[in-house]
Amino acid sequence: MSGRLFIVGTGPGNPAQMTPESRDAIAAATEFFGYGPYLDRLELRPDQIRIASDNREELDRAEAALARAAAGADVCVVSGGDPGIFAMAAAVCEAIDKGPEEWRRVDLRVTPGVTAMLAVAARIGAPLGHDFCAMSLSDNLKPWDVITKRLRLAAEAGLVIALYNPISKARPWQLGEAFSILREVLPASVPVIFGRAAGRPDERITVMPLGDADPDHADMATCVIIGSSETRVVSRDGSPDLVYTPRSFTGASH
Amino acid sequence: MSGRLFIVGTGPGNPAQMTPESRDAIAAATEFFGYGPYLDRLELRPDQIRIASDNREELDRAEAALARAAAGADVCVVSGGDPGIFAMAAAVCEAIDKGPEEWRRVDLRVTPGVTAMLAVAARIGAPLGHDFCAMSLSDNLKPWDVITKRLRLAAEAGLVIALYNPISKARPWQLGEAFSILREVLPASVPVIFGRAAGRPDERITVMPLGDADPDHADMATCVIIGSSETRVVSRDGSPDLVYTPRSFTGASH
């Protein structure tokens, strides 16, 4: 008899932004697989077991979790944000696709969550209020020329661009190069939002025009949102600026 | 003294998918502005007032809510899903941008939510597991030729495409036309997901290849997700197929 395999998203890291559905899934499981800092967000019972692994070992982790669920355990795979956005749900599906037949019979339950770009957008106004795309800037899993092609086409299409995994110690120059490419297509006045740790105590949200955008404002906990030509900044007395992309397309430019 | 203006997302419609943060915001407000069916999802107290309006009157609704908050009321503007994705947060920001100076001093608090595409993705696997875009197919607020250009560029970029507002009585042919355009760029075997009312009792999730995709499977409560050339379908004994887009770009095609 196969156990259940829950894949949950904890949301951006603020417990008030985790859904009751994810909380219930966590309560129902007994073995927890995930990147250590995401597992640290959970308050587990003494009978619940942690199996932490490194952030770059997603497929191994998915296989280990599936093996335990197939053996009858109630297992929970933990992602930050939403598990379907650059996270563990795709790794588990890939492991099922490539793995033994019995893994296809595991009772799989994915619970959605608030992904980072939504948390950042909520803190600054509504930058994702019109058509947008979400891309991972990591070239660990795809060639850099695919990324640059996508950036160009997305900007030409007029999509606001949310960048996940913008920078890391092993990938220090890619975000600066991405800004350079986007400056060839977009006006220098387009606002860029560096949304770090949105909703958490160490939150830091910074806005600057694309022409001045400095990659040093990003770290591994940052989601970077680059506006379109339509995105607007509203100054407010005594409060941070609002950034939003109007629901209507006007054809206006900066 | 200005009141507070909360802009909340109820999530996809399943109460277990609404965050505690949104629930707390709802408890703190006394006047509720929104489209009637979204207000119907809330369990309001006798002292909490409903002001329902039609789905196409977002800017009027935003202005009415801001006027009440500026007058000192604690107001809540209610969206389905996430308020920042094709919803009320952008309408409120636009009203502030165009409105009287005092609206800029309103204490604005946006709480993010689980947007429809995340709820649909969770029910089917991980179709949004790699780079993707979200577009509204409504040509009420932007020209149809902007939409077709974006569809083409997004497909050429290899982005999975999530379509909001795919169809309505007043817009009956646009989704079929969108499929025709995408068939010129993408293989006919690319999976298309019709995700209707994900997470609710009347949920209906249907998958078919782009070559056979029939717009009649969509209605106003549907989010349509069109895969990329990399998106894969995994058949399972006794369970619905899984659809996922691998984290790694392989350059493989259907």
Side-chain angles (χ1 to χ4, degrees):
Chain A
M1 178 64 191
S2 162
R4 291 172 292 181
L5 178 55
F6 300 97
I7 310 179
V8 307
T10 63
N14 175 342
Q17 293 179 334
M18 191 196 299
T19 66
E21 183 185 48
S22 290
R23 200 167 293 275
D24 292 347
I26 290 163
T30 54
E31 299 185 16
F32 291 78
F33 290 77
Y35 176 49
Y38 296 150
L39 294 182
D40 290 342
R41 293 181 183 173
L42 310 181
E43 292 178 13
L44 298 180
R45 302 184 305 262
D47 65 306
Q48 293 178 311
I49 300 165
R50 276 172 62 111
I51 302 101
S53 48
D54 189 81
N55 209 5
R56 281 161 298 183
E57 296 170 358
E58 283 98 346
L59 198 58
D60 289 348
R61 182 191 303 148
E63 291 169 351
L66 278 160
R68 287 298 301 147
D74 283 330
V75 173
C76 185
V77 172
V78 180
S79 287
D82 177 273
I85 307 297
F86 308 118
M88 285 303 299
V92 171
C93 288
E94 185 178 339
I96 293 172
D97 195 8
K98 295 177 174 172
E101 187 63 29
E102 61 178 7
W103 288 2
R104 297 181 184 228
R105 291 192 292 273
V106 167
D107 179 358
L108 187 68
R109 305 183 186 193
V110 184
T111 65
V114 173
T115 183
M117 65 181 166
L118 304 186
V120 171
R123 296 294 286 156
I124 194 86
L128 306 177
H130 194 74
D131 302 340
F132 67 94
C133 68
M135 293 178 46
S136 169
L137 205 64
S138 169
D139 53 356
N140 291 336
L141 297 170
K142 65 190 161 194
W144 181 245
D145 64 353
V146 169
I147 297 174
T148 59
K149 178 188 169 194
R150 287 181 179 174
L151 286 170
R152 260 180 226 285
L153 289 170
E156 284 169 10
L159 302 174
V160 171
I161 300 170
L163 293 179
Y164 284 68
N165 307 317
I167 204 161
S168 74
K169 277 182 192 155
R171 296 181 291 101
W173 56 265
Q174 282 83 344
L175 181 58
E177 179 72 16
F179 288 149
S180 295
I181 290 164
L182 293 173
R183 283 186 198 113
E184 295 171 15
V185 185
L186 296 170
S189 57
V190 157
V192 174
I193 302 159
F194 295 85
R196 183 178 183 287
R200 302 206 294 272
D202 53 339
E203 170 181 293
R204 191 178 63 234
I205 315 273
T206 315
V207 182
M208 60 191 71
L210 177 60
D212 303 331
D214 176 355
D216 285 349
H217 282 87
D219 65 10
M220 281 179 64
T222 305
C223 180
V224 177
I225 300 178
I226 298 124
S228 74
S229 296
E230 304 264 318
T231 305
R232 295 178 56 86
V233 178
V234 184
S235 60
R236 294 187 298 172
D237 250 7
S239 294
D241 291 350
L242 289 177
V243 181
Y244 79 103
T245 309
R247 302 155 310 132
S248 299
F249 176 86
T250 61
S253 186
H254 287 250
Chain B
M1 179 63 191
S2 163
R4 292 171 291 182
L5 179 55
F6 300 98
I7 310 179
V8 306
T10 63
N14 175 341
Q17 293 178 335
M18 190 196 300
T19 66
E21 183 186 47
S22 290
R23 198 167 295 274
D24 291 348
I26 290 163
T30 54
E31 299 184 18
F32 291 77
F33 290 77
Y35 176 51
Y38 296 150
L39 294 182
D40 290 343
R41 292 180 184 172
L42 311 181
E43 293 179 13
L44 298 180
R45 301 184 305 261
D47 65 306
Q48 293 178 312
I49 300 165
R50 275 172 61 113
I51 302 102
S53 49
D54 190 81
N55 209 6
R56 281 161 298 182
E57 296 169 0
E58 284 98 347
L59 197 58
D60 290 347
R61 182 191 303 146
E63 290 168 352
L66 278 160
R68 286 299 301 147
D74 283 331
V75 172
C76 185
V77 172
V78 180
S79 288
D82 177 272
I85 307 297
F86 308 118
M88 286 303 297
V92 171
C93 290
E94 186 179 339
I96 293 172
D97 195 7
K98 296 177 175 173
E101 187 63 28
E102 61 178 8
W103 289 2
R104 297 181 185 227
R105 291 191 292 272
V106 166
D107 180 359
L108 188 68
R109 305 184 186 192
V110 185
T111 65
V114 173
T115 183
M117 64 182 168
L118 303 186
V120 170
R123 296 294 288 157
I124 195 86
L128 306 177
H130 195 73
D131 302 338
F132 67 94
C133 68
M135 293 179 48
S136 169
L137 206 63
S138 170
D139 53 357
N140 292 336
L141 297 172
K142 65 190 160 192
W144 180 245
D145 64 353
V146 169
I147 298 174
T148 59
K149 178 188 169 194
R150 288 181 179 174
L151 287 169
R152 258 181 229 285
L153 289 171
E156 284 168 12
L159 301 174
V160 170
I161 300 170
L163 293 178
Y164 284 66
N165 307 316
I167 204 161
S168 74
K169 275 181 193 154
R171 298 182 288 101
W173 55 264
Q174 282 83 342
L175 182 58
E177 180 69 17
F179 288 150
S180 296
I181 290 164
L182 293 173
R183 284 185 197 113
E184 295 170 16
V185 184
L186 296 170
S189 56
V190 158
V192 175
I193 302 159
F194 294 85
R196 183 179 182 287
R200 301 206 293 273
D202 52 340
E203 171 182 292
R204 191 179 63 234
I205 314 272
T206 316
V207 183
M208 59 191 70
L210 177 60
D212 302 331
D214 177 355
D216 286 350
H217 282 87
D219 65 11
M220 282 178 63
T222 305
C223 181
V224 178
I225 300 177
I226 299 125
S228 74
S229 296
E230 303 264 318
T231 305
R232 295 178 56 86
V233 178
V234 183
S235 60
R236 295 187 297 173
D237 250 6
S239 295
D241 291 351
L242 289 176
V243 181
Y244 79 103
T245 308
R247 302 157 307 134
S248 299
F249 176 85
T250 61
S253 184
H254 287 251

